[in-house]
Amino acid sequence: MATALTPPEEATQKVILHNVSWQLYERLLAEHVDVCNPRFAYDRGGLEIMVISFEHEELNRLIANLFTAIADEMGMDFINAGSTTFTREDLAKGIEPDTCFYIRNVERVRGKKRLDLTEDPPPDLVIEIDITHPSLDKFPIFAGLGVPEVWRYQGQSLTIFKLESGNYIEQSSSAALPGVTGEGLTRLISDSRRTKRTAWLRSIREWARTLRAGEL
């Protein structure tokens, strides 16, 4: 039986349950298949259920667009896997990331309709928006699934983390997008608050072109 319910904060509509069985987690996923809300994260009996707010989703889409514009300008191939549900019953872990991308492993998943992480690779990059508390720590889930890089935005800045020996270590720059720094991404996110979206996207592409040319 699930116990120790953490009351949701008014703005986040988030609860954390403990002692949740894998069977109950799978049943909840099945009952909400192809539904964007709520979103579930599971780690060895701990279950977070979160209804996504406008603020959360707007930031998520904005940072995903930021990645897409830079990668496209750099001529990089990728697949945006969005908030695909990834589970590993043998590890008792499951997650629906805010957004995730396949980059190095894009050819291994291209054309597939379903992914099985016992056979298929995990995403090369996950974007996590963490602007509310309490929150289930997602890093052990990402690490268990083998996600090599995580971008976490916490309301003021974006931090890049790389998986090393089972733990995430903060990095100044991205391996997924060579030369791109957390500081640069944070500045671009900040710019979006005072710039029309079309002009903002153009500025990102111009920035990415200079970065690709080795001028930054």
Side-chain angles (χ1 to χ4, degrees):
M1 178 181 293
T3 60
L5 173 65
T6 302
E9 296 180 3
E10 182 178 352
T12 64
Q13 300 185 38
K14 179 190 299 182
V15 295
I16 298 175
L17 296 165
H18 302 282
N19 302 319
V20 176
S21 69
W22 182 264
Q23 290 72 27
L24 176 55
Y25 169 57
E26 285 193 318
R27 191 172 76 194
L28 288 169
L29 290 178
E31 291 174 351
H32 295 85
V33 66
D34 295 328
V35 175
C36 63
N37 261 321
R39 195 167 293 167
F40 302 97
Y42 184 88
D43 189 10
R44 297 170 298 177
L47 176 67
E48 178 185 274
I49 306 173
M50 179 178 180
V51 176
I52 305 302
S53 68
F54 171 79
E55 178 189 16
H56 185 284
E57 190 62 3
E58 196 274 336
L59 283 166
N60 176 33
R61 298 301 177 94
L62 184 141
I63 297 172
N65 287 338
L66 174 57
F67 169 90
T68 298
I70 296 172
D72 186 58
E73 198 60 47
M74 289 183 169
M76 297 177 62
D77 191 18
F78 63 87
I79 290 175
N80 183 342
S83 56
T84 298
T85 302
F86 297 98
T87 62
R88 283 284 301 269
E89 183 176 3
D90 56 325
L91 301 176
K93 296 180 185 291
I95 193 75
E96 294 167 297
D98 290 317
T99 301
C100 64
F101 292 91
Y102 282 91
I103 308 162
R104 290 185 176 87
N105 287 308
V106 67
E107 290 300 333
R108 294 181 60 185
V109 300
R110 192 189 305 280
K112 292 196 173 187
K113 296 182 178 180
R114 295 184 180 277
L115 297 176
D116 179 353
L117 290 193
T118 63
E119 300 176 354
D120 300 310
D124 296 298
L125 171 66
V126 159
I127 294 171
E128 181 190 12
I129 310 300
D130 192 7
I131 54 176
T132 57
H133 297 283
S135 179
L136 186 71
D137 186 3
K138 310 298 195 315
F139 274 21
I141 305 177
F142 296 139
L145 299 180
V147 176
E149 183 169 324
V150 176
W151 292 2
R152 182 169 66 184
Y153 184 75
Q154 293 183 287
Q156 297 297 325
S157 62
L158 185 146
T159 307
I160 297 169
F161 294 90
K162 179 183 178 183
L163 184 62
E164 294 183 358
S165 302
N167 295 296
Y168 285 101
I169 308 299
E170 184 176 336
Q171 306 288 314
S172 61
S173 61
S174 171
L177 290 179
V180 172
T181 65
E183 181 180 0
L185 293 170
T186 297
R187 178 179 58 79
L188 290 167
I189 294 168
S190 179
D191 289 347
S192 73
R193 299 190 179 100
R194 52 183 178 271
T195 309
K196 290 184 177 180
R197 187 54 53 92
T198 52
W200 180 70
L201 289 170
R202 284 197 299 270
S203 72
I204 292 171
R205 291 182 175 277
E206 291 170 1
W207 180 81
R209 282 195 293 271
T210 59
L211 181 64
R212 186 179 185 185
E215 298 176 9
L216 290 181

